[in-house]
């Protein structure tokens, strides 16, 4: 059975950046499960999985625009400390949540001043070319409920 619309694919992946530094891997843990074709995966990975079947093993290089997007310089901001719930504990490199008009956003702390904090709202992998080594574990038909909800239920998916 091949990966296509209305099917659930489970796969292991190892993500690395050029130069070979490994960022994360599902190997040795629970494989990633995705309802294919609904945009739940980054576009470069979703496209690379099309038509694959259980046992397929491949590598794909994903450009920023097909991954976590290009870096947006305007997302690097200086923000008054009062906008952080946990201002006293902030340290450079930490990821924290900043309340914005569009709702909470994960930001990386760059620098902590006396009354302001410099943060970067870009995804940590924005602007990076990504290498995925992928191994398809299995492919199955999605249930009517999964298709209606737009996500996978059960192992590797949503429990509710
Ligand atoms: Zn659901």
């Amino acid at each position: 059975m091949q990966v296509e619309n209305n099917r659930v694919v489970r796969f292991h992946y190892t993500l690395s950046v050029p130069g070979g530094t490994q960022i994360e891997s599902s190997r040795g843990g629970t494989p990633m499960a995705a309802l294919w074709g609904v945009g739940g995966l980054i576009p470069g990975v979703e496209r690379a999985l099309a038509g694959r079947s259980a046992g397929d093993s491949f590598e794909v290089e994903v450009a920023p625009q097909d991954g976590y997007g290009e870096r947006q310089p305007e997302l690097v901001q200086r923000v008054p400390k009062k906008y952080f719930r946990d201002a006293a504990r902030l340290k450079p490199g930490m990821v924290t949540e900043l309340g914005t008009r569009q709702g909470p956003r994960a930001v990386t702390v760059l620098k902590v001043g006396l009354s302001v904090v410099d943060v970067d709202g870009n995804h940590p992998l924005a602007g990076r070319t990504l290498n995925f080594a992928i191994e398809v574990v299995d492919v199955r038909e999605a249930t009517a409920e999964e298709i209606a909800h737009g996500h996978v239920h059960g192992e590797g998916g949503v429990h509710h």
Side-chain angles (χ1 to χ4, degrees), residues 10 30-31 33 140 145-146 151-160:
R10 292 198 311 150
T30 308
R140 65 167 170 84
E145 198 182 45
E146 286 172 324
H151 55 229
V152 177
H153 291 159
E155 193 191 6
V158 177
H159 298 263
H160 62 99

Side-chain angles (χ1 to χ4, degrees), residues 36 39-49 60 62-69:
W36 189 84
L41 300 168
I42 63 170
V45 169
E46 188 141 84
R47 220 155 43 222
L49 281 165
V60 60
V62 176
Q65 66 267 25
D66 292 325
Y68 291 97

Side-chain angles (χ1 to χ4, degrees), residues 72-114:
Q72 297 175 259
E74 66 273 22
L75 292 181
V76 176
Q77 290 174 306
R78 177 158 288 177
V79 182
K81 272 189 177 171
K82 64 180 178 188
Y83 290 108
F84 297 88
R85 270 176 306 166
D86 51 354
R89 294 190 300 111
L90 294 179
K91 288 191 179 67
M94 277 178 64
V95 175
T96 187
E97 244 178 32
L98 178 63
T100 72
R101 261 167 281 154
Q102 292 82 37
R105 177 193 290 151
V107 297
T108 305
V109 176
L110 300 177
K111 193 176 155 198
V112 183
L114 282 178

Side-chain angles (χ1 to χ4, degrees), residues 19-32:
T21 305
Q22 186 176 310
I23 305 293
E24 58 184 43
S25 179
S26 68
R27 287 188 171 83
T30 308
M32 173 81 96

Side-chain angles (χ1 to χ4, degrees), residues 99-137:
T100 72
R101 261 167 281 154
Q102 292 82 37
R105 177 193 290 151
V107 297
T108 305
V109 176
L110 300 177
K111 193 176 155 198
V112 183
L114 282 178
S115 60
V116 295
V117 183
D118 291 348
V119 297
D120 184 352
N122 286 287
H123 188 283
L125 293 173
R128 311 290 302 265
T129 296
L130 309 172
N131 291 294
F132 285 89
I134 294 175
E135 185 189 339
V136 178
V137 175

